[in-house]
Amino acid sequence: MGSSSSSLNNVPDGQQLMQETGFSAAHLLRLYERFKFLDKDNRGHLRSEDFEAVPELSENPIGDRIVGAFFLPGQETVDFSSFVRVLAHFRPTEKNRTRAGAQPDPANSRNRKLKFAFRLYDQDRDGKISRIELLQVLREMLGMQVTEEQLQSIADRAIQEADLDKDDAISFDEFRKSLEKVNIDHKMSIRFLE
Ligand SMILES: [Ca+2]
Ligand SMILES: [Ca+2]
């Protein structure tokens, strides 16, 4: 433990990030190595094009959206702390959290994971997934495999099933309910963290 916490001193805000995100010292060190590797020019921050070097994102049909989630609105760079805070959403959910100082609703909780996923759809951030926003994601994910008509009918069905208040859009609550039985950990795994 002694050696890993001393090397953690080389990681910017290492101790604080460990507390906040639940990543171990060893894990944070690996993420910092990864970050420095992506930060080719040693600027201390990443731009969206730096993420192209991550195959799991560049090959992911909605990789651009996931990369976009690393950036706050209007910002073009992401520093190491923000990088880690976003990646914390991809940590497996802990069933029995008794860790001292743990956040009441940490980034890897089911609720926070769902919120993260919801924002990948809700690009105008109005708190609802509109039919158009849903269609855009489906188009990116399914691409050439389906016709426009099939896409429309998949979207119709998804909205019909999830849209409880019949406003033709999916609120976060409706989104959460429609995914009640889905293993979100499995859906939101990313090899990046191994
Ligand atoms: Ca929206
Ligand atoms: Ca609705």
Side-chain angles (χ1 to χ4, degrees):
M1 202 55 208
S3 64
S4 62
S5 52
S6 62
S7 40
L8 192 62
N9 292 336
N10 303 321
V11 177
D13 300 321
Q15 291 293 347
Q16 198 204 323
L17 284 171
M18 203 165 89
Q19 277 283 319
E20 196 185 316
T21 63
F23 280 122
S24 68
H27 219 141
L28 272 181
L29 274 170
R30 281 212 299 282
L31 290 178
Y32 191 50
E33 290 304 315
R34 198 70 199 264
F35 180 87
K36 285 191 295 188
F37 171 77
L38 295 174
D39 178 19
K40 289 181 289 294
D41 308 329
N42 245 322
R43 287 171 303 216
H45 59 246
L46 304 180
R47 295 172 173 276
S48 58
E49 56 265 32
D50 295 326
F51 286 86
E52 286 165 16
V54 183
E56 186 154 50
L57 291 173
S58 58
E59 290 162 13
N60 187 315
I62 60 161
D64 285 350
R65 286 174 188 265
I66 299 172
V67 171
F70 281 86
F71 298 85
L72 293 170
Q75 293 208 349
E76 288 176 3
T77 60
V78 54
D79 64 11
F80 181 66
S81 303
S82 312
F83 178 76
V84 171
R85 287 190 185 105
V86 172
L87 287 175
H89 292 96
F90 294 90
R91 282 184 64 232
T93 305
E94 290 161 34
K95 292 226 161 45
N96 303 302
R97 282 181 312 108
T98 47
R99 207 160 38 82
Q103 308 253 329
D105 190 15
N108 65 335
S109 68
R110 184 177 170 86
N111 190 50
R112 291 274 302 275
K113 281 173 191 262
L114 287 171
K115 278 191 176 150
F116 184 86
F118 185 82
R119 283 195 298 264
L120 295 180
Y121 290 84
D122 180 21
Q123 295 277 291
D124 68 359
R125 297 184 187 231
D126 71 344
K128 288 174 180 182
I129 303 171
S130 66
R131 178 176 296 262
I132 291 169
E133 285 171 331
L134 179 62
L135 273 170
Q136 281 166 347
V137 175
L138 289 172
R139 206 170 274 137
E140 288 168 25
M141 291 199 298
L142 301 170
M144 305 310 260
Q145 300 168 47
V146 293
T147 64
E148 189 59 34
E149 271 159 44
Q150 287 171 314
L151 271 183
Q152 295 279 355
S153 88
I154 294 168
D156 283 348
R157 208 176 325 133
I159 290 181
Q160 260 171 30
E161 278 171 19
D163 183 18
L164 301 174
D165 65 1
K166 303 293 168 210
D167 67 346
D168 205 33
I170 303 171
S171 66
F172 176 67
D173 229 38
E174 291 167 342
F175 182 76
R176 191 170 51 75
K177 287 193 180 115
S178 75
L179 291 173
E180 230 149 37
K181 296 193 178 69
V182 174
N183 181 342
I184 195 86
D185 268 352
H186 180 67
K187 295 253 178 218
M188 280 183 65
S189 71
I190 188 164
R191 234 175 306 159
F192 215 74
L193 291 180
E194 282 161 17

